[in-house]
Amino acid sequence: MKYRLPSIAISILFLIGVGHASEKADPAGEITYEKSIRPILKAYCFECHGEGDKLKGGLDLRLRRLIAEGGDSGPALVPGKPKESLLVERLEKKEMPPGKTKLSKEDIHVIARWIATGAKTA
C-alpha cells in the first residue's frame, strides 16, 4: 500500500496539469480574448505592452481592438490568419517576450487558434 500513494499523487498532478490546459477554452471549446488570451498576455506581455507608462513598439495588448490596430510594426493580428499575424510570428520565433521566460508551445497554440477562429472578444 505504501507504493500506491506516489502513483496516486502522480495521477493527481497529471490531472491538475490537464485541467490547466482545458481552462484556456470554454466548455464548448471556444477560445475568446477575455477568457483565454488576456490571461496569457497579462502574465507575459502586459509589462511592456500595456501596463507601463510607455508602450514598447507602440503596441498595446490589453484589448483585442488595440492588438488589431497594432503598433510601430503594423497590426499585430490578422483575424483568420495566424501565420500572417505578427503576434504569432514573434512568439513562435521566441523574439517575444524578451528575456528567459517564454510562452509555452501550448500558450502560443492557443493564441494561434484564437486568431485562426476570428479573434473573438467574448
Side-chain angles (χ1 to χ4, degrees), residues 1-16:
M1 192 78 167
K2 66 180 178 180
Y3 294 106
R4 189 167 173 82
L5 183 58
S7 64
I8 291 171
I10 290 170
S11 297
I12 290 170
L13 289 174
F14 175 75
L15 291 173
I16 290 170

Side-chain angles (χ1 to χ4, degrees), residues 32-48:
T32 64
Y33 179 79
E34 289 302 324
K35 291 179 184 175
S36 311
I37 306 305
R38 192 174 213 285
I40 296 170
L41 297 179
K42 182 169 178 55
Y44 293 94
C45 309
F46 279 13
E47 185 177 333
C48 296

Side-chain angles (χ1 to χ4, degrees), residues 15-16 19 35 37 43 56 62 64 84 90 100 120:
L15 291 173
I16 290 170
K35 291 179 184 175
I37 306 305
K56 300 242 175 151
R62 290 178 292 176
R64 187 256 188 230
E84 296 178 25
R90 299 277 165 75
K100 293 181 181 180
K120 297 176 185 172

